[in-house]
Amino acid sequence: MKETTWEQNRELQPEDYEIRLEQLCDHVQFEGPLLSAAKDAIKGYSNELPYHNIDHMFMVAEETLALCVEYGLSVEDTQMLVMAALWHDYDYKTPLQPEYDSKEQRSAVCAYGAITKHSNDNEVFAESVASLIISTHESET
């Protein structure tokens, strides 16, 4: 796969998470409520886990962005996919409560809540993001 400009410019250190997130959000053109929701995603990750951590969140979001750029997706589609990538493993380390069928469902509910908390005008966008996250659930059959 051809390396995009975004991939070529990823030279930040892991401790620069806020700067890294700002750059990602700028590139995706998140503004206003969507920017706030994207910034909320990082709160559900830590580096206590060996895999589902902040670095993993960035890896998935940045690779998602690279694919969106490579395939020429619209700004809106790119925003939906990157937002879903940011939230896909939100609060992964916390044990699953009985009201959730999967960790993906919990992540989707958290993403939906964060997006709509910042603006009720984004309900359709929030539903799409939640659906994308839930679609990553691996079936046990």
Side-chain angles (χ1 to χ4, degrees), residues 75-86:
V75 171
E76 184 178 2
D77 287 345
T78 299
Q79 288 176 332
M80 266 190 271
L81 287 162
V82 172
M83 186 72 77
L86 287 170

Side-chain angles (χ1 to χ4, degrees), residues 27-47:
H27 197 81
V28 179
Q29 300 175 34
F30 284 139
E31 296 176 350
L34 293 183
L35 177 60
S36 298
K39 288 182 176 182
D40 283 351
I42 202 168
K43 297 174 188 174
Y45 292 88
S46 74
N47 278 330

Side-chain angles (χ1 to χ4, degrees), residues 9-21 23 42 47 54-55 58 62:
N9 290 332
R10 287 190 298 183
E11 296 177 6
L12 297 173
Q13 299 300 311
E15 60 270 12
D16 296 323
Y17 295 125
E18 285 184 32
I19 295 168
R20 193 172 176 185
L21 185 59
Q23 288 184 338
I42 202 168
N47 278 330
I54 295 171
D55 290 322
F58 277 115
E62 291 165 352

Side-chain angles (χ1 to χ4, degrees), residues 100-117:
Y100 298 113
D101 293 331
S102 66
K103 290 186 183 267
E104 292 81 6
Q105 183 188 25
R106 178 178 56 202
S107 296
V109 167
C110 291
Y112 179 89
I115 295 165
T116 57
K117 171 181 86 173

Side-chain angles (χ1 to χ4, degrees), residues 91 94-102 106:
D91 206 21
T94 305
L96 195 60
Q97 298 90 347
E99 64 265 23
Y100 298 113
D101 293 331
S102 66
R106 178 178 56 202

